[in-house]
Amino acid sequence: MIIEKTTSPIKVGVLGFGGLGQAAAKVLAPKAEMKLVVVADHQGYVYDSAGLNIDAAISIYRDRHSVGYLAQNGTLSSNSIQDVIKNAAVDGYFLALPNLPNTFMADVAKQFIQSGWQGVLVDALKRTSAVEQLLELQSDLQQAGITYLTGCGATPGLLTAAAAVAAQSYAEIHSVKITFGVGIANWEAYRATIREDIAHMPGYNVETARAMTDQEVAMLLDKTDGIISLENMEHADDIMLELAGICSRDRVTVGGVVDTRNPKKPLSTNVKITGRTFEGKISTHTFTLGDETSMAANVCGPAFGYLKAGMALNCRGITGLFTAAEIMPQFVK
Ligand code: NAD
């Protein structure tokens, strides 16, 4: 069993086929070590154990809003996640799903636990309170034989992991400051991401943002010229760095600017890690992402890197919940 998993491509599923889900499919297309066999959206799914036709899936989703309409292997379903878990043979899933309501991802994790499925799950969750719900499932995940890696996008994810590595120069960590810049051409390409960002704006919360119609979102963005500026966000980078033993969560801050009308980043995404060395010097390491890298590249790349790392753990019988700050992602070829 172990030999088979390390020699043949990892069979991957992507749940959620919006902005990130589709980018994830494109990221996987040229990979030899992973094969995308199933994707699901809220109206259906497409499964082919030989590997999906990614272009066909993306074009039917664009035209008809569900991969379930695909003539070949597409299935319409109002319970697509449950159906996929039951019908598809998959080693690991990237959960590119909206976390709306804020309990949604934990509910999906429970569905996997209850189904008896075993393998690797990776998410790109953002809120601290969402990761806290998963922590409560730690022993259930372990017993179920599931290796679950949470917070494996860009922030949390790539930047949190970079902070954990950078912290090693110091004897004490004073602050971790994450500032992100995101540029997207139109908000409709990433509806859940933008709604979840609006939920951090003053006067909004997850429930009010979730209840907004697309027209209401567009009207709000008209008022702000398409810009969402955020500071002191509830972001799981804090709990992840605390759990990894780097620093207490109150030393971690996250904020940023999202431009929903321009793919150019409004500012360079970076993380600054300030601390004291063993010699008593105070210093700051800065890790800055290249401006040409999109949000999709910085989320989907790490997500699959963590999925590969999760497979290695799972094959060794190591199950349960891990965060992007405790595991080193592997590079998917
Ligand atoms: P989106 O709105 O573009 O797409 C969501 C997809 O999920 C759609 O295909 C929809 O049909 C599907 N879906 C919704 N409910 C479903 C259900 N019950 N069953 C099956 N499918 C369902 O979303 P997006 O903008 O790609 O964002 C996805 C998630 O990624 C969000 O939670 C967002 O916050 C997160 N994200 C994380 C980071 C990070 O750095 N950690 C960055 C960006 C986005």
Side-chain angles (χ1 to χ4, degrees):
M1 184 68 172
I2 292 174
I3 291 166
E4 205 228 328
K5 281 197 173 179
T6 50
T7 52
S8 54
I10 297 166
K11 292 191 284 297
V12 174
V14 172
L15 301 186
F17 203 55
L20 280 189
Q22 291 174 49
K26 289 184 196 161
V27 165
L28 281 186
K31 304 283 188 189
E33 290 180 336
M34 289 188 179
K35 182 167 65 179
L36 183 62
V37 296
V38 63
V39 300
D41 55 52
H42 76 291
Q43 291 180 71
Y45 66 95
V46 56
Y47 173 53
D48 185 343
S49 59
L52 294 184
N53 179 337
I54 289 165
D55 291 339
I58 290 174
S59 78
I60 199 100
Y61 189 89
R62 184 193 55 224
D63 296 344
R64 305 195 64 186
H65 311 298
S66 177
V67 294
Y69 288 105
L70 269 175
Q72 207 179 345
N73 302 314
T75 306
L76 287 166
S77 162
S78 55
N79 211 359
S80 61
I81 296 176
Q82 200 65 53
D83 290 354
V84 165
I85 299 174
K86 204 167 86 189
N87 298 322
V90 170
D91 300 312
Y93 286 96
F94 172 33
L95 308 175
L97 294 160
N99 194 36
L100 297 167
N102 195 37
T103 50
F104 187 70
M105 206 65 84
D107 288 342
V108 170
K110 285 179 201 158
Q111 286 186 52
F112 274 98
I113 292 166
Q114 279 153 16
S115 73
W117 178 84
Q118 299 192 324
V120 180
L121 298 175
V122 172
D123 72 38
L125 268 188
K126 294 213 271 203
R127 281 191 180 255
T128 309
S129 51
V131 169
E132 278 168 343
Q133 294 162 40
L134 287 174
L135 280 167
E136 287 175 22
L137 301 177
Q138 173 66 279
S139 64
D140 292 344
L141 287 164
Q142 227 165 345
Q143 281 161 28
I146 295 172
T147 307
Y148 192 126
L149 291 104
T150 188
C152 299
T155 168
L158 181 56
L159 297 175
T160 338
V165 173
Q168 307 306 322
S169 299
Y170 304 122
E172 186 192 13
I173 313 305
H174 294 163
S175 69
V176 174
K177 186 171 191 288
I178 292 173
T179 310
F180 62 80
V182 169
I184 52 177
N186 60 82
W187 86 272
E188 288 93 341
Y190 291 96
R191 283 189 168 85
T193 302
I194 298 307
R195 275 204 176 76
E196 289 178 39
D197 283 341
I198 289 172
H200 290 277
M201 289 171 69
Y204 292 86
N205 60 35
V206 175
E207 276 320 302
T208 51
R210 181 189 178 210
M212 286 169 84
T213 63
D214 285 358
Q215 204 190 0
E216 284 167 340
V217 173
M219 275 162 55
L220 172 66
L221 294 174
D222 275 345
K223 280 196 219 149
T224 66
D225 264 338
I227 303 285
I228 304 174
S229 294
L230 302 162
E231 50 188 33
N232 286 322
M233 299 168 77
E234 183 213 315
H235 240 234
D237 308 80
D238 63 357
I239 190 173
M240 288 163 61
L241 289 168
E242 184 173 276
L243 285 169
I246 305 293
C247 61
S248 59
R249 65 179 83 180
D250 58 338
R251 296 189 177 194
V252 182
T253 51
V254 181
V257 179
V258 182
D259 187 342
T260 60
R261 295 183 176 168
N262 189 346
K264 191 171 177 300
K265 284 187 194 184
L267 56 90
S268 299
T269 297
N270 67 85
V271 53
K272 290 183 188 299
I273 304 95
T274 301
R276 178 182 49 78
T277 68
F278 76 101
E279 303 106 325
K281 303 272 191 214
I282 309 292
S283 188
T284 299
H285 285 324
T286 305
F287 173 63
T288 306
L289 302 185
D291 286 340
E292 300 77 11
T293 60
S294 61
M295 175 177 78
N298 291 319
V299 172
C300 299
F304 290 121
Y306 281 106
L307 202 159
K308 182 173 170 183
M311 283 303 298
L313 294 176
N314 194 266
C315 288
R316 285 155 57 195
I318 302 170
T319 57
L321 185 76
F322 299 91
T323 82
E326 357 171 30
I327 303 290
M328 187 63 88
Q330 294 184 11
F331 192 78
V332 183
K333 292 193 267 303

